[in-house]
Amino acid sequence: MNDELLFLDGDARKDVLAKVIEVAKDIPRLAGPAAWVEYWRNALRHGKQKFGTYTAFGSALEAQGCERETQTVRLWVVGTIIGPKDPMDVRRVGEVLADAPLRDHYRTVYGGIEQFRNAHAQLMQRVGALALRVGPVASAGTIRADEVIDERSGLTASDFQGCVEIVRVHTIGEVRDVQTLATGRLRDASE
């Protein structure tokens, strides 16, 4: 035994990624898309303030023809989802907020969101790979916590240390009942 399992924490990796995205405006090919995404996010925050609740904001969008659920609108506002899959939803947000750039240039804004979404996916892969390489080494104390791993973003070894958890396997035994919360699924009657 004494094998080790490495778990990559998706939420911690997102925190690291947020740090990387902060510097996206300094990357020439992402400068325009990052500016539009920032404009979009500011407009969404304004929308939430204007309408007071996600439900009211979602209802106003629905009145314009938006088919997204309130939960999706909330995820746009908090930044979990970068932007809509339908460019018309950008226009709809512009309509309900009387925001001329969103309303009149929605295709350009949507193009920026799409470019940023694609770059985001690539960055997530890169951050994930770095976390797998640097996280265990940082957790073991092999490198200094303040060692800079990525110059452009300023990410340090300690940023990646929280992304991974290393668990040592001491024994392997018979599987017992595990709470649904831990597995994410209900046990089938045949199991």
Side-chain angles (χ1 to χ4, degrees):
M1 281 293 98
N2 281 337
D3 288 337
E4 292 180 336
L5 294 176
L6 182 125
F7 292 97
L8 186 60
D9 182 342
D11 289 334
R13 190 174 68 174
K14 287 177 190 171
D15 293 340
V16 171
L17 184 63
K19 209 172 185 184
V20 173
I21 289 175
E22 284 176 19
V23 299
K25 287 185 259 181
D26 298 331
I27 301 170
R29 71 179 180 87
L30 291 180
W36 279 120
V37 168
E38 184 175 32
Y39 188 90
W40 164 252
R41 294 196 25 89
N42 287 334
L44 290 170
R45 283 190 286 275
H46 170 71
K48 168 60 169 69
Q49 289 174 344
K50 177 181 177 178
F51 289 98
T53 67
Y54 296 114
T55 302
F57 192 13
S59 294
L61 290 171
E62 185 179 346
Q64 292 293 322
C66 182
E67 297 178 357
R68 301 309 140 244
E69 294 181 10
T70 299
Q71 177 65 7
T72 301
V73 173
R74 185 187 76 76
L75 293 174
W76 291 344
V77 173
V78 299
T80 302
I81 297 176
I82 293 172
K85 293 286 187 183
D86 180 356
M88 291 305 293
D89 285 339
V90 173
R91 187 172 195 282
R92 291 174 181 114
V93 169
E95 288 287 341
V96 301
L97 297 180
D99 185 307
L102 288 182
R103 184 188 61 231
D104 301 340
H105 305 288
Y106 69 96
R107 290 189 193 282
T108 303
V109 176
Y110 182 77
I113 289 170
E114 277 296 288
Q115 281 183 277
F116 202 77
R117 189 186 337 261
N118 293 336
H120 182 269
Q122 292 170 353
L123 286 171
M124 276 298 266
Q125 290 173 349
R126 181 169 177 240
V127 167
L130 278 171
L132 286 172
R133 284 195 310 273
V134 177
V137 179
S139 294
T142 307
I143 60 176
R144 290 185 348 261
D146 64 347
E147 185 170 330
V148 176
I149 303 302
D150 183 75
E151 289 290 330
R152 183 175 281 172
S153 65
L155 290 171
T156 64
S158 66
D159 290 320
F160 290 101
Q161 187 172 354
C163 288
V164 296
E165 182 177 350
I166 301 170
V167 179
R168 186 172 304 279
V169 178
H170 296 287
T171 62
I172 297 177
E174 184 178 326
V175 177
R176 296 187 182 141
D177 286 341
V178 179
Q179 291 182 352
T180 303
L181 182 62
T183 63
R185 70 180 186 92
L186 294 174
R187 195 171 113 182
D188 190 275
S190 65
E191 293 180 294

